């Protein structure tokens, strides 16, 4: 794609605007449950793979080390996660969901699902598939994981 076409389309600007709107809508609803978007990101990762290393959470959430520590601290203070030292290597810390953290999965997943449905309203299934493939290609071009 030529530079002029990129400047005309402003794809990155549109993606950033959509991302901010999505984040705002999710944040407004998650706040009613006392959860921030960053906390939701950590919880979501733990719902996929409970008991992971903090370093794995950094990869899965795209939060940096300093930020992830604060997020885990706040989740732990709310009784939603707990930290445990690894039995084989005491330097290693794993993060686990508590029952309260698991209990938030259904309402928080519903918030994300409803926000996605709202975002895709009016698109056909074929259009959603095309959009997904195009976004995957853009991500691949940028080395996204």
């Amino acid at each position: 794609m030529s530079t002029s076409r990129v400047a005309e389309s402003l794809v990155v600007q549109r993606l950033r605007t959509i991302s901010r709107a999505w984040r705002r809508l999710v944040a407004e609803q998650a706040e009613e449950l006392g959860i921030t978007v960053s906390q939701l990101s950590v919880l979501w990762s733990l719902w996929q793979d409970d008991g992971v290393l903090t370093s794995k959470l950094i990869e899965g959430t795209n939060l940096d080390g300093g930020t992830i520590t604060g997020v885990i601290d706040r989740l732990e203070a709310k009784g939603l996660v707990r930290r445990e030292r690894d039995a084989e290597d005491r330097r290693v810390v794993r993060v686990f969901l508590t029952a309260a953290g698991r209990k938030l999965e259904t309402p928080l997943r519903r918030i994300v699902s409803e926000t996605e449905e709202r975002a895709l309203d009016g698109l056909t299934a074929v259009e959603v598939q095309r959009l997904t493939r195009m976004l995957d290609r853009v991500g691949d071009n940028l080395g996204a994981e």
Side-chain angles (χ1 to χ4, degrees):
M1 180 180 276
S2 71
T3 304
S4 62
R5 279 188 60 197
V6 170
E8 289 172 12
S9 69
L10 298 172
V11 171
V12 172
Q13 180 61 39
R14 285 185 173 96
L15 290 172
R16 189 174 20 247
T17 300
I18 291 166
S19 177
R20 277 196 306 260
W22 184 90
R23 186 177 179 92
R24 178 183 46 79
L25 288 170
V26 169
E28 288 171 359
Q29 295 174 73
E31 184 179 337
E32 294 174 13
L33 298 171
I35 300 296
T36 67
V37 174
S38 294
Q39 292 169 349
L40 171 58
S41 182
V42 170
L43 290 170
W44 196 281
S45 289
L46 291 171
W47 295 327
Q48 307 304 312
D49 190 15
D50 196 18
V52 298
L53 303 175
T54 304
S55 59
K56 187 82 166 172
L57 282 174
I58 291 169
E59 292 171 18
T61 62
N62 293 318
L63 299 172
D64 63 51
T67 301
I68 199 86
T69 299
V71 171
I72 294 169
D73 286 346
R74 286 183 285 288
L75 288 170
E76 195 170 33
K78 292 177 181 185
L80 301 176
V81 301
R82 72 180 192 285
R83 290 179 175 111
E84 288 184 18
R85 296 263 176 215
D86 189 82
E88 295 182 20
D89 185 347
R90 300 288 297 153
R91 296 170 295 171
V92 174
V93 176
R94 295 187 178 277
V95 181
F96 292 88
L97 289 162
T98 63
R102 282 188 207 89
K103 187 176 178 184
L104 285 176
E105 183 174 5
T106 298
L108 287 170
R109 282 188 182 272
R110 185 174 44 250
I111 288 168
V112 171
S113 177
E114 289 172 357
T115 303
E116 185 169 307
E117 286 177 22
R118 179 176 174 179
L120 299 175
D121 188 41
L123 297 179
T124 67
V126 170
E127 289 171 325
V128 171
Q129 289 174 340
R130 285 183 188 148
L131 176 61
T132 301
R133 282 194 308 270
M134 287 186 282
L135 290 171
D136 285 345
R137 188 176 316 148
V138 170
D140 290 345
N141 291 344
L142 298 174
E145 294 180 16

